[in-house]
Amino acid sequence: MSSAATKLATAADATSAEAQTLVLDMRKALSSMKALAVEYERAGKSDKVKQLEDAVQELVASYEECAYLAEAVKQVPGAYQPSDQATDFRKLIEGEVAKVKGTSRSSGHKDQLIRQFKEAVWEVHHAGQPMPGDEQEELVMTSTQNCILNMHCPLTLKPIVELENPVRCTDCRHIYDRDPILRYIRANQAPNCPVAGCPAVLQAAKISCDTFLRMEIEEQRASGPDAPNASEIEDISDHDEDEDPMDDDDDE
């Protein structure tokens, strides 16, 4: 690999890592906003709930795009073709983003997050009841948890939410601990996926950790018993630090 290609790959990895960190931070912010909206709904502060819902809509609009960008940037070094002409990296990245969108199985993630916010608020006073419109239409959206096919690595039996280096097969979509699955592939010729009954033949080149996998695992982690609640989150409203976040701001 040439010096220029090495520098490009290093820069792409660093930029992608920064984008992935931003994606996870945005996901945590969404969880906090949802928890706070539930508390406002319990207190009968519908105006505050509406403000949070509007903010969630804005944040989610950027959330998935950032995840696509994180994946696309990693593909830039492979798509880059040296030439005598200056490379239009903006156009190159936009092209890779379009490819990621075209092949991603995580379309609809934005709608899922918005729906989860609305469901959490709805459940405060209508537990067990379908939201308006659900009675007439068949829901095609599913929770992000359903994107996760296995809850434990089939080799180590460790919960996927505890994996430091989770990876996923691009064919069967099963999730593994990175080092054990790569050793498994090296030790066996054309091995099948270790998940019982899965016929997929594994290849190291098709085992990777994409941004959406980390998002889905974070979503699963956030929905578990250790998920943050409104009493544990930071106050993200515009109240003073010493003021109860459930009290109205007299200046508003």
Side-chain angles (χ1 to χ4, degrees):
M1 183 180 292
S2 67
S3 176
T6 300
K7 291 180 179 178
L8 181 59
T10 300
D13 288 343
T15 301
S16 178
E18 290 176 359
Q20 289 185 40
T21 298
L22 178 58
V23 166
L24 294 179
D25 287 344
M26 292 166 75
R27 175 64 188 85
K28 292 176 183 178
L30 289 168
S31 294
S32 296
M33 294 164 79
K34 180 172 65 175
L36 188 57
V38 166
E39 291 304 307
Y40 280 142
E41 182 69 11
R42 287 173 180 159
K45 299 184 177 182
S46 57
D47 57 329
K48 298 293 186 182
V49 175
K50 183 61 170 63
Q51 290 176 16
L52 279 171
E53 182 177 341
D54 291 342
V56 165
Q57 295 274 0
E58 293 180 7
L59 183 57
V60 167
S62 302
Y63 178 67
E64 195 170 59
E65 288 297 321
C66 188
Y68 285 136
L69 178 62
E71 283 303 297
V73 168
K74 292 192 295 186
Q75 309 305 318
V76 169
Y80 170 69
Q81 296 294 331
S83 69
D84 295 334
Q85 303 297 320
T87 300
D88 187 342
F89 280 101
R90 177 186 293 274
K91 184 177 181 179
L92 182 59
I93 293 173
E94 289 176 349
E96 293 305 311
V97 168
K99 291 179 183 178
V100 172
K101 288 183 177 180
T103 58
S104 173
R105 300 190 186 188
S106 297
S107 60
H109 197 77
K110 294 184 296 185
D111 294 334
Q112 293 168 4
L113 291 172
I114 293 171
R115 179 178 178 81
Q116 288 167 12
F117 176 91
K118 292 181 178 179
E119 281 182 337
V121 173
W122 173 261
E123 285 287 315
V124 172
H125 298 301
H126 308 87
Q129 302 178 31
M131 289 198 303
D134 286 2
E135 307 94 329
Q136 289 78 31
E137 63 183 20
E138 179 181 357
L139 291 178
V140 295
M141 283 189 298
T142 58
S143 170
T144 27
Q145 286 95 312
N146 291 335
C147 295
I148 295 178
L149 300 185
N150 54 298
M151 299 306 299
H152 297 78
C153 171
L155 295 176
T156 65
L157 301 183
K158 192 172 183 179
I160 59 101
V161 295
E162 297 179 9
L163 299 181
E164 293 184 6
N165 296 299
V167 290
R168 178 159 54 190
C169 174
T170 58
D171 290 332
C172 66
R173 309 296 288 172
H174 285 126
I175 301 168
Y176 325 96
D177 199 351
R178 185 187 64 186
D179 291 344
I181 194 64
L182 291 179
R183 286 196 296 268
Y184 173 79
I185 293 173
R186 288 194 296 266
N188 298 275
Q189 185 174 3
N192 286 107
C193 170
V195 172
C198 182
V201 176
L202 299 184
Q203 302 176 43
K206 292 188 176 182
I207 301 296
S208 64
C209 180
D210 57 84
T211 302
F212 287 106
L213 173 57
R214 292 197 177 277
M215 289 163 54
E216 291 157 14
I217 290 177
E218 184 66 23
E219 174 72 14
Q220 180 66 36
R221 185 180 293 114
S223 68
D226 296 327
N229 55 51
S231 64
E232 297 171 336
I233 62 176
E234 296 181 2
D235 179 16
I236 59 174
S237 66
D238 56 355
H239 297 285
D240 293 332
E241 290 185 358
D242 297 330
E243 188 176 1
D244 186 339
M246 297 304 298
D247 291 337
D248 284 322
D249 189 338
D250 295 334
D251 295 334
E252 290 183 353

